[in-house]
Amino acid sequence: MIVLGLSSGTSVDAIDAAAADFHLGPDGVLRMRPLGHTEYEWPAALRERILKALPPAAVDMGEVTQLDTLIGQEFGRAGRQAIDDVAGGDVDLVASHGQTLYHWVVGARAHGSLQLGNAAWIAERTKRPVISDFRVADIAAGGQGAPLVSVLDALWLGRDPQSPDGAPAGLSAALNIGGIANVTLVGEVEAPVTGWDTGPGNCLIDLTARQLTGEPFDRDGALGAAGTVDQAALRALLDDPYFAAKAPKSTGRELFDATYVPRKLASVRPDLTGPDLVATLTELTAVTIAEGLLTVAQSIPADRRSAGDAAAEPQREVRRVVVSGGGAHNPTLLERLRAYLPDGCELLTADQLGMPIDAKEAYLFALLGFLSAHGVAGTAKGVQRRRSTGARRAAVLGSLTPPTPLVWPAFTGPIRRLVLANTPFGLAPMPKGTHR
Ligand SMILES: Nc1ncnc2c1ncn2[C@@H]1O[C@H](COP(=O)(O)OP(=O)(O)O)[C@@H](O)[C@H]1O
Ligand SMILES: [Mg+2]
């Protein structure tokens, strides 16, 4: 089954598209063959309208309605184009994340999440069924609705002691640095995982770079590398209850908005600007990621392994960090992150393991579309009988447009692993057409 994933992240830099061919074996091994990915620039005027509508802006319902339509039309256009560009015209289902405008979190709980980009437009333009609105089912089940990538990370990076594939013993941390950064901590196959947003990824750096240079981001980390970290400012920025809160937790541009940095620095370094400010914000991103993942790893409760193995201490050592997202292109950020990681912890990019760094989120939505179409939950097992998002139960995610019956049979067995197959299928013993 071929699924096209469409997504635009909190950076609002582009609509990402990726298509993958999925084959699910009776052994619970899901083989995913990436067919290709690309991105489509937002029309400049629409991008400006989206950025203007983000928190802390007050927006009227007329604008919300118009954005829902315009973003839906743009996703539809991108989808129709991508079906030809990356999948040779052969796509069975479109899975669209849409554009997040608001992620409603109060204290430790998520209450809602609004992604615009109406699916009716996408179905109309792609002539394919569309699954969209992936986050709210998990929120309704008591979860954060974010980050959703944990299910991909758990299936993909879980270490199988029977066939370790070169994965080190201990924990892998999958790190995606978009506008917001998120981490999933993964141990052995089928062990519970923890996923959470660490806080700002590129969003605060982008806002500052834009003010300083008019460029949308700090290209290749040049400003960050030229500046010096201001320790007093860094301390003030780190003094936020979000960084101290326990995982799982999620956040967005509602908290890390354009007023965040001036508010935090008002009483300590209101004059901080230029490369020194960018260097300080780069350090903030690096330190909150590294400290977050090491703290969460240390606090993994003893129920991490299977019930029969209850006496065993869980793995708490992070042995590798697998980076994706646009922040992986910022060498200054990666260098600062490296500085906070313990010796013996490897830092590698997702593409070194076969997952394109700029398309991981789009491939995630392709995977979620596949799971939802088969009635399989879109979250991974978490600690303490919760899901990776903190939800009380495993929810099948998303809504289907149009609501016609799906042609794919429900899959009832557990999916154990995701194997990225960069070679044509046929090598694996798969009954032909079973899941197509
Ligand atoms: N060459 C680069 N140098 C520095 N930062 C980059 C570079 N390329 C991309 N980025 C960063 O990546 C961001 C886009 O990352 P992306 O993963 O698409 O985030 P999102 O999921 O929020 O859309 C840009 O806004 C920018 O901050
Ligand atoms: Mg993006």
Side-chain angles (χ1 to χ4, degrees):
M1 172 182 181
I2 297 178
V3 188
L4 176 73
L6 297 174
S7 163
S8 173
T10 48
S11 303
V12 203
D13 57 315
I15 298 174
D16 301 322
D21 194 1
F22 293 92
H23 282 233
L24 180 54
D27 53 356
V29 175
L30 178 58
R31 290 182 173 77
M32 169 175 161
R33 183 162 64 95
L35 298 178
H37 66 275
T38 185
E39 59 173 51
Y40 300 96
E41 242 175 62
W42 284 104
L46 180 53
R47 175 168 196 262
E48 283 308 311
R49 272 176 84 171
I50 297 168
L51 291 174
K52 258 201 196 134
L54 291 176
V59 185
D60 67 53
M61 287 311 295
E63 182 66 0
V64 174
T65 307
Q66 291 186 32
L67 283 175
D68 193 32
T69 299
L70 295 171
I71 295 170
Q73 291 171 338
E74 205 51 44
F75 267 69
R77 207 169 289 139
R80 186 173 56 195
Q81 185 77 40
I83 287 172
D84 290 332
D85 288 352
V86 301
D90 194 9
V91 162
D92 300 300
L93 173 75
V94 175
S96 172
H97 171 256
Q99 176 66 57
T100 297
L101 270 286
Y102 203 96
H103 188 65
W104 181 20
V105 176
V106 181
R109 274 206 66 181
H111 293 270
S113 195
L114 181 66
Q115 282 74 44
L116 296 186
N118 198 287
W121 285 104
I122 307 173
E124 181 67 25
R125 296 205 160 164
T126 60
K127 307 282 182 252
R128 302 293 195 283
V130 177
I131 299 183
S132 61
D133 216 5
F134 283 93
R135 298 193 187 274
V136 274
D138 181 69
I139 293 176
Q144 294 287 323
L148 293 178
V149 72
S150 303
V151 70
L152 190 165
D153 295 330
L155 292 171
W156 174 43
L157 295 177
R159 180 175 182 271
D160 189 344
Q162 264 91 57
S163 56
D165 290 341
L171 297 170
S172 292
L175 165 65
N176 192 74
I177 313 176
I180 297 293
N182 64 63
V183 166
T184 314
L185 277 180
V186 185
E188 287 182 4
V189 167
E190 293 176 355
V193 304
T194 308
W196 72 102
D197 288 335
T198 58
N202 305 296
C203 64
L204 300 180
I205 302 170
D206 283 3
L207 283 166
T208 306
R210 200 169 144 102
Q211 282 160 10
L212 292 175
T213 65
E215 289 281 313
F217 53 86
D218 178 19
R219 187 171 297 279
D220 302 335
L223 289 169
T228 304
V229 176
D230 185 296
Q231 293 299 333
L234 180 62
R235 273 194 302 278
L237 290 163
L238 283 168
D239 183 19
D240 192 287
Y242 186 76
F243 300 127
K246 283 203 168 121
K249 57 183 175 178
S250 64
T251 188
R253 291 179 69 153
E254 307 69 43
L255 178 57
F256 299 105
D257 67 11
T259 69
Y260 187 84
V261 172
R263 265 192 293 118
K264 288 283 174 184
L265 299 188
S267 59
V268 276
R269 285 299 313 271
D271 54 331
L272 186 63
T273 182
D276 290 353
L277 178 55
V278 179
T280 305
L281 295 174
T282 305
E283 196 79 4
L284 173 73
T285 294
V287 80
T288 49
I289 290 169
E291 284 192 353
L293 71 87
L294 296 174
T295 308
V296 175
Q298 281 310 311
S299 63
I300 292 171
D303 70 354
R304 192 170 171 91
R305 290 186 169 185
S306 65
D309 207 8
E313 270 297 292
Q315 293 284 349
R316 295 198 174 106
E317 208 171 323
V318 182
R319 298 294 303 279
R320 62 175 178 177
V321 177
V322 182
V323 194
S324 59
H329 296 295
N330 182 333
T332 311
L333 176 55
L334 292 193
E335 195 189 299
R336 294 314 302 148
L337 177 62
R338 168 78 271 171
Y340 286 104
L341 296 175
D343 295 343
C345 174
E346 197 186 356
L347 182 66
L348 64 165
T349 51
D351 49 3
Q352 291 174 263
L353 299 180
M355 177 66 80
I357 55 177
D358 291 315
K360 187 179 171 199
E361 295 261 302
Y363 279 119
L364 161 69
F365 287 100
L367 170 67
L368 289 176
F370 175 88
L371 296 178
S372 297
H374 290 83
V376 178
T379 51
K381 186 162 63 174
V383 298
Q384 293 174 325
R385 288 195 275 164
R386 296 265 171 160
R387 305 303 291 175
S388 50
T389 54
R392 291 180 302 275
R393 65 173 194 87
V396 179
L397 306 180
S399 303
L400 177 66
T401 305
T404 44
L406 285 173
V407 295
W408 301 287
F411 184 79
T412 47
I415 299 180
R416 291 187 72 240
R417 295 189 65 191
L418 176 77
V419 175
L420 290 184
N422 290 312
T423 48
F425 290 122
L427 302 174
M430 265 298 299
K432 238 182 147 96
T434 316
H435 292 287
R436 186 68 203 263

